[in-house]
Amino acid sequence: MSKRNIANPSPLGLCGFALTTFLLSAINMQTLGVTTPNIVVAAAFAYGGLVQLLAGMWEMAIGNTFGATSLSSFGGFWISIAIILTPGGFAIESSYDSLEFQHAFSLFLFGWFIFTTLLLLCTLSSSLAHLSIFLSLSPAFLCLALSHLYPHITSASTSTIAATWAPNEQLTFAGGVFGMLSAFAAWYNALAGIVGTGFTFFTLPVGHFPWSEHSRNRKVAARKESPV
């Protein structure tokens, strides 16, 4: 029986993450004057959510624990964001008063900051290109979490609770910048994975750390090929 070849699902998952992150980060930076994130819902459900989740499951099938954990988790993250942002669909935001929602969303994002930092530590044994995704994504989550922790009032009211609160604009912008860097880092890693399959005339450097498994395997292979 011939061995069945399974394609590397990582570039697909990274592309789903990159595009959805790019879109939300552009809105957080108020690019082209767009400030309402409703357009993110479609990408978050379908591409960043479902497709990335499937890619994570396929990573599990090929035995990549890190890929399965990271891609599946961020697929779930984007589906969660889509549920929160769906206008009138799940009534998440309307179930809180304005300030309480900002603080609840802050807790949600702080949780993802902690998780992303854990993944960042794991990439220290991989490559510089892989590290760069989480090195920029972790501060993005931190800035966005803080933007909801320290919101500002957008409409006056006799009651602080009844007032309308919005995320801190400066911190949201900073989160958008870091998110944009993470999106392009993810696209770079995706492209590096695609061109490494031999279907193109070039490859992209990813900067494997000297202590990484890839570098160790290359050293072992070089010693085996060297004359005695």
Side-chain angles (χ1 to χ4, degrees), residues 36-214:
T36 304
N38 293 4
I39 191 65
V40 178
V41 173
F45 267 129
Y47 198 29
L50 177 60
V51 171
Q52 189 175 185
L53 178 61
L54 290 173
M57 293 296 100
W58 292 323
E59 287 279 8
M60 191 174 295
I62 64 175
N64 185 352
T65 303
F66 179 87
T69 303
S70 58
L71 293 180
S72 299
S73 295
F74 283 113
F77 165 78
W78 281 117
I79 294 174
S80 300
I81 289 294
I83 290 173
I84 294 170
L85 296 180
T86 298
F90 294 88
I92 301 294
E93 184 173 357
S94 62
S95 65
Y96 294 93
D97 66 58
S98 184
L99 182 58
E100 188 181 11
F101 171 75
Q102 296 300 326
H103 289 167
F105 203 6
S106 176
L107 291 174
F108 175 81
L109 294 171
F110 269 122
W112 283 99
F113 163 68
I114 295 170
F115 174 70
T116 304
T117 303
L118 295 178
L119 294 182
L120 172 63
L121 296 176
C122 294
T123 59
L124 292 173
S125 62
S126 179
S127 67
L128 183 60
H130 209 179
L131 174 71
S132 64
I133 299 175
F134 302 97
L135 193 61
S136 49
L137 184 60
S138 189
F141 274 122
L142 180 60
C143 288
L144 293 175
L146 291 173
S147 75
H148 289 276
L149 182 62
Y150 301 108
H152 63 89
I153 296 178
T154 59
S155 65
S157 172
T158 56
S159 169
T160 302
I161 296 177
T164 301
W165 296 77
N168 183 285
E169 291 183 358
Q170 289 75 24
L171 288 168
T172 299
F173 183 87
V177 172
F178 282 115
M180 190 67 73
L181 293 174
S182 183
F184 278 97
W187 265 321
Y188 182 90
N189 278 268
L191 181 59
I194 295 171
V195 300
T197 59
F199 289 99
T200 59
F201 295 105
F202 66 95
T203 58
L204 291 177
V206 294
H208 287 286
F209 295 124
W211 53 85
S212 68
E213 182 180 0
H214 180 273

